[in-house]
Amino acid sequence: MTRYIRRAAALCALLLVALLVNAARVQIVQSSTYDDNPANRRPTIARYGQPRGDIVVGGQPVTGSKDTGEQLRYERTYHDGPLYAPVTGFASQVYGTTGLENAADGILAGTDPMLSLLPLWNGVSRDRNPGGKVVTTLAAGAQRAAYEGLAGRRGAVAAIEPSSGRILALVSAPSYDPGELSGTNSAVTSAWDRLNGDPARPMLNRAIRQTYPPGSTFKVVTAAAALDAGVIRDLDAPTRSPDPYPLPETRISLTNEAEDCEDASLRYAFEWSCNTVFAKLGVDVGLKDMTATAAHFGFNDKGLRIPFPVAPSNFDTKLDAPQLALSSIGQFDTRATPLQMAMIAAAVAGGGSVKSPYLVERTTTSAGGTVSATSPRTLHQAMNPSTAARLREMMTDVVRKGTGKNAAIRGATVGGKTGTAQHGIGNSGTPYAWFISWAQADNALEPAVAVAVVVEDASARRGDISGGGDAAPIAKAVMEAVLRS
């Protein structure tokens, strides 16, 4: 009898061990499978069961949470939603997350292990920490100046601190209110359909996700390549450039809107944007050096994140001579985001060094303890410091006496470059108006800000240099806001 009792006890013990092993397998090994199962609503309910952490600009939160009392209890709210939408993105119970709401989701939702003193225990117990905070690098005044400058027009603005890469402004117009996508009612679906069906594409982040032909603003890159390669040694020497310039291997001649471009010096050609001079310079520099210089400025970089991804700007690496000539004046297939063009202006202002742009200063716990912090990092040395100094000199001339006079600021040195970019079938579209610039207060040791502005629906007549009239005043307002702060 005792023997049967022992066998029964052993069988029960074996079954108990099997039960414990299976429970461990379900709760630990296969937990992610069940968590990710669309039929399992518990993670979603838990995710919205507490307030989401805030995104902070200038010491003030620009986000919040509202208690709805429903199953998905807390909805995301936004202060000045359209102003900050290109940075925050949206957090929607229905459509997910974008922007910083996506890139910093772990911190904001409270799931990041770094928020806990005992992350391993939290992983076992499934406890959720209060949502942390994301402190941005934005300057509130610069962000608002850019937003108000673009009011009623399509375009984008990006502003960077040259010495560090901190993003001071990131604006896309038209914008949208991300709060319209919070919640689960029918109004959210209607807002989603309306925003996605809008031909103006308000949810497109034009500052980092849209690339444009940069037009004459790209001549900064071509000038840097020519100076570094030794093709140009004297800014005031004739460049032996014909006007019009016959594109190599073709019967097509390139002309200018500006006057007196034949044999113009680099200084004059830069100040008045002579296409013929820069097209010839690109060919003289050669494809290898032009592509290398463009890459050093950040073109063709598919891995840039700020922390959400940035669309790569393009400078083709396989071009024949006429294509290289056109690419060197920012046409053909050359395309750039406004952030990329701000990086170019920042490199000139910062002595030739391209800093990695970043949008998050630090992340913290809900109580304010630092979780992580971003340190400045150099991506590339785009050009020699002496070349950057000569480009600063020429960009200053553009604002002081050339096409960029509308960007001049009393009490500061401002350098800039205007540009227009043709587009559409047969270049029939209104040219995009560009202006890139930097500013340094007279009593400061280094430039405080570099800006890029693009206006899609510029008001200038075709063929006019509209960057100085449409984009430069917006850049000026942004630079003034940074200098005041």
Side-chain angles (χ1 to χ4, degrees):
M1 186 69 180
T2 303
R3 183 176 57 184
Y4 292 115
I5 293 174
R6 287 175 179 170
R7 289 177 179 175
L11 179 60
C12 289
L14 181 63
L15 291 174
L16 178 61
V17 170
L19 182 64
L20 292 173
V21 169
N22 185 62
R25 179 182 65 85
V26 170
Q27 295 185 15
I28 298 174
V29 178
Q30 291 188 322
S31 62
S32 60
T33 302
Y34 292 110
D35 282 344
D36 297 337
N37 191 312
N40 181 15
R41 286 183 55 81
R42 288 182 62 84
T44 304
I45 294 170
R47 176 184 180 85
Y48 295 103
Q50 67 177 24
R52 193 169 172 82
D54 283 325
I55 297 171
V56 179
V57 175
Q60 299 297 320
V62 298
T63 57
S65 294
K66 179 177 68 174
D67 189 349
T68 66
E70 299 176 359
Q71 188 179 55
L72 302 182
R73 183 171 175 180
Y74 287 93
E75 291 180 5
R76 193 56 148 168
T77 60
Y78 297 88
H79 311 299
D80 287 322
L83 173 62
Y84 294 108
V87 174
T88 63
F90 60 77
S92 169
Q93 286 99 323
V94 179
Y95 299 108
T97 56
T98 60
L100 281 183
E101 295 278 26
N102 177 264
D105 182 65
I107 291 290
L108 296 169
T111 59
D112 192 309
M114 295 297 291
L115 292 170
S116 175
L117 293 175
L118 299 170
L120 292 179
W121 172 249
N122 275 29
V124 173
S125 66
R126 299 299 181 94
D127 286 343
R128 184 180 290 263
N129 298 294
K133 298 178 182 178
V134 175
V135 181
T136 71
T137 59
L138 293 180
Q143 183 79 1
R144 188 167 294 278
Y147 181 76
E148 292 177 351
L150 282 171
R153 293 185 284 185
R154 299 185 192 183
V157 179
I160 297 176
E161 183 179 68
S163 62
S164 65
R166 296 170 68 244
I167 296 175
L168 304 177
L170 200 70
V171 169
S172 177
S175 189
Y176 70 102
D177 184 357
E180 290 187 292
L181 302 176
S182 296
T184 57
N185 56 33
S186 59
V188 173
T189 305
S190 297
W192 178 261
D193 292 340
R194 171 173 50 80
L195 290 170
N196 280 284
D198 190 333
R201 304 176 72 190
M203 289 201 295
L204 171 65
N205 191 339
R206 288 168 163 84
I208 63 163
R209 297 302 304 169
Q210 179 69 46
T211 59
Y212 301 88
S216 292
T217 56
F218 188 80
K219 292 170 183 174
V220 174
V221 177
T222 304
L227 289 166
D228 272 357
V231 173
I232 296 291
R233 299 184 184 278
D234 184 348
L235 299 183
D236 298 301
T239 55
R240 300 178 183 176
S241 303
D243 183 10
Y245 171 63
L247 293 176
E249 304 168 9
T250 74
R251 297 180 179 179
I252 301 172
S253 291
L254 189 65
T255 59
N256 297 291
E257 297 296 335
E259 298 178 351
D260 300 324
C261 288
E262 184 175 359
D263 288 334
S265 67
L266 181 62
R267 187 190 302 277
Y268 181 90
F270 191 92
E271 184 178 330
W272 295 103
S273 213
C274 295
N275 286 334
T276 53
V277 173
F278 282 91
K280 181 177 183 297
L281 280 179
V283 174
D284 291 346
V285 169
L287 179 61
K288 180 180 178 180
D289 285 345
M290 279 298 300
T291 54
T293 300
H296 290 154
F297 274 103
F299 283 80
N300 302 326
D301 183 353
K302 297 180 180 180
L304 184 63
R305 304 180 71 89
I306 62 167
F308 40 87
V310 178
S313 298
N314 181 70
F315 186 85
D316 284 357
T317 57
K318 296 180 180 180
L319 298 167
D320 59 25
Q323 292 169 344
L324 178 58
L326 294 175
S327 296
S328 299
I329 60 171
Q331 299 289 351
F332 191 58
D333 284 339
T334 303
R335 298 185 69 87
T337 62
L339 180 63
Q340 172 62 70
M341 298 313 295
M343 290 167 63
I344 290 173
V348 174
S353 175
V354 178
K355 301 295 183 182
S356 180
Y358 63 97
L359 192 53
V360 176
E361 193 80 69
R362 65 185 185 278
T363 60
T364 74
T365 64
S366 59
T370 298
V371 175
S372 65
T374 307
S375 299
R377 181 171 63 92
T378 299
L379 278 179
H380 303 285
Q381 185 68 30
M383 57 191 143
N384 293 323
S386 59
T387 295
R390 292 201 275 182
L391 279 169
R392 283 197 299 274
E393 183 181 332
M394 291 193 294
M395 290 182 76
T396 302
D397 287 343
V398 169
V399 174
R400 187 167 56 88
K401 57 182 180 179
T403 57
K405 292 179 181 178
N406 285 336
I409 299 172
R410 183 174 297 179
T413 300
V414 178
K417 183 72 187 79
T418 56
T420 57
Q422 310 291 344
H423 66 101
I425 299 174
N427 291 333
S428 58
T430 302
Y432 297 136
W434 278 95
F435 191 72
I436 64 173
S437 59
W438 51 266
Q440 178 176 347
D442 289 345
N443 59 353
L445 296 177
E446 60 186 10
V449 59
V451 183
V453 178
V454 63
V455 179
E456 292 185 15
D457 46 354
S459 60
R461 299 186 306 274
R462 277 182 45 78
D464 288 351
I465 296 178
S466 57
D470 290 272
I474 300 173
K476 176 182 178 178
V478 173
M479 292 186 291
E480 285 181 321
V482 173
L483 293 175
R484 282 197 302 268
S485 65

